[in-house]
Amino acid sequence: MEVINLTHLDEQISRKPHIMAIGFFDGVHLGHQELLNQAKELARKQNVLFSVMTFSPHPNEVLKGDKNHKYLMTLPEKIKKMEAMGVDKLFVMKFDRTFASLLPADFIQKYIVNSKTKHVFVGFDFTFGFKARGNTQLLQKESRKIGFGLTVIPKKTYLQEKISSTLIRSLVQEGNVDLVPYYLGANYEAAAQIIEYKINGHLAVRPSEKSIFPKPGTYLVKVKQGTKILHGKFHQYSNSRTDNVLKLNESVHEFDDACSIEFLSRIQVSESLSV
């Protein structure tokens, strides 16, 4: 997969015909996956490139000044997920105030029409352009007038609840990590750093600053380092980003500082980790 970092100054993003999915895709949940898989299928049928346009950082960081914004999936994690899903080209647009001020018509002309996009895939609630004035209705109108294809993926639900990054973020924050796979399609996973080796096999852990971690409590987890997978318990004593302890079931003689923690379920208080 080719990753292309863009700014609003880039005039043309592709010289070859491609089918493009557009969205922020935080977490790449089941709704996102349906959209991406449909785009990939059409690209393969038409023998053209399958591309995705996403944005970094999150618009709230720029427009609302939310510098403490947390992600279900950081950009490096999202890039890995997109590659695993078969994306040929991933366009990462730098989201800044200049890009946010782009008129919807200019967005369509510059990033769809002028960039040889044959067909666009978006979610039902997709918005774009200045003050989010562009929406799927405008895209449908322009696609008929200009002649590019458009597919709008309808809302995807589970138990009558809309699958969304906002919902999944809430489930993680409330510690309901066992419910996450029904919406995300997998257990929630977040990057962390081992900052101190303690006695009795306990490790002090610092979560990634941009990753969401569940509320204080004890959780069954898998710890991943490359192809190495270990099992254990993760205990968060408070909302502090540093007050966390990881207890592995297996003895480990060599352990890198960076790791990924996959949350399986929350443990009741009577079963929680003692240190």
Side-chain angles (χ1 to χ4, degrees):
M1 183 181 73
E2 183 180 6
V3 180
I4 302 171
N5 294 299
L6 299 173
T7 73
H8 65 279
L9 298 175
D10 293 297
E11 289 299 324
Q12 188 179 54
I13 67 174
S14 178
R15 292 182 173 84
K16 293 182 179 180
H18 61 117
I19 285 171
M20 183 164 65
I22 309 176
F24 193 82
F25 302 120
D26 188 22
V28 193
H29 58 57
L30 289 174
H32 297 148
Q33 291 175 37
E34 182 171 323
L35 187 157
L36 294 167
N37 283 329
Q38 287 195 31
K40 179 173 66 174
E41 182 179 359
L42 184 60
R44 300 297 182 253
K45 284 182 179 178
Q46 297 191 6
N47 196 29
V48 297
L49 294 174
F50 167 37
S51 71
V52 172
M53 176 181 281
T54 191
F55 311 95
S56 182
H58 192 280
N60 284 353
E61 291 196 38
V62 176
L63 302 178
K64 298 182 179 180
D66 181 12
K67 299 303 181 184
N68 197 37
H69 186 85
K70 301 293 188 296
Y71 296 82
L72 290 172
M73 189 173 278
T74 62
L75 182 57
E77 293 166 336
K78 189 191 297 185
I79 290 172
K80 289 180 181 178
K81 183 68 174 181
M82 291 292 181
E83 183 171 22
M85 293 201 67
V87 176
D88 297 314
K89 283 192 175 185
L90 177 64
F91 303 109
V92 181
M93 173 61 69
K94 180 181 179 182
F95 193 96
D96 56 19
R97 289 194 173 273
T98 303
F99 178 75
S101 67
L102 195 66
L103 294 176
D106 293 335
F107 178 94
I108 292 171
Q109 187 65 41
K110 186 171 183 178
Y111 298 113
I112 297 176
V113 179
N114 293 351
S115 298
K116 300 187 181 300
T117 308
K118 295 186 66 177
H119 198 107
V120 174
F121 282 77
V122 296
F124 73 99
D125 54 356
F126 176 68
T127 59
F128 61 99
F130 182 60
K131 293 187 176 180
R133 289 174 179 169
N135 53 30
T136 56
Q137 289 75 30
L138 176 61
L139 276 177
Q140 288 169 336
K141 176 183 174 183
E142 293 301 304
S143 71
R144 290 192 292 265
K145 183 169 71 174
I146 299 171
F148 61 88
L150 174 68
T151 297
V152 177
I153 303 298
K155 176 173 63 175
K156 189 175 180 64
T157 63
Y158 175 73
L159 296 180
Q160 300 182 330
E161 189 95 54
K162 182 181 81 168
I163 295 175
S164 68
S165 301
T166 300
L167 172 62
I168 297 168
R169 189 179 294 113
S170 176
L171 289 174
V172 173
Q173 290 173 327
E174 290 302 313
N176 297 317
V177 295
D178 57 310
L179 299 179
V180 168
Y182 297 107
Y183 303 91
L184 190 63
N187 292 313
Y188 178 65
E189 194 171 325
Q193 183 181 15
I194 307 299
I195 57 175
E196 184 181 353
Y197 292 81
K198 295 179 175 289
I199 60 172
N200 300 326
H202 293 69
L203 308 173
V205 178
R206 176 183 294 137
S208 165
E209 289 186 0
K210 287 298 184 180
S211 296
I212 298 170
F213 265 64
K215 71 178 185 180
T218 302
Y219 301 85
L220 283 176
V221 297
K222 289 182 182 178
V223 181
K224 300 180 180 179
Q225 288 197 314
T227 59
K228 185 191 303 180
I229 298 179
L230 303 166
H231 298 79
K233 295 177 182 178
F234 175 87
H235 190 90
Q236 186 162 316
Y237 292 101
S238 68
N239 289 317
S240 166
R241 303 295 289 180
T242 58
D243 198 7
N244 309 284
V245 169
L246 182 63
K247 175 66 170 67
L248 298 175
N249 296 343
E250 301 96 336
S251 298
V252 180
H253 302 291
E254 293 184 6
F255 208 84
D256 297 333
D257 290 341
C259 69
S260 176
I261 300 177
E262 179 182 340
F263 291 88
L264 307 180
S265 63
R266 191 178 184 193
I267 301 174
Q268 299 300 318
V269 175
S270 59
E271 306 174 65
S272 67
L273 178 67
S274 59
V275 294

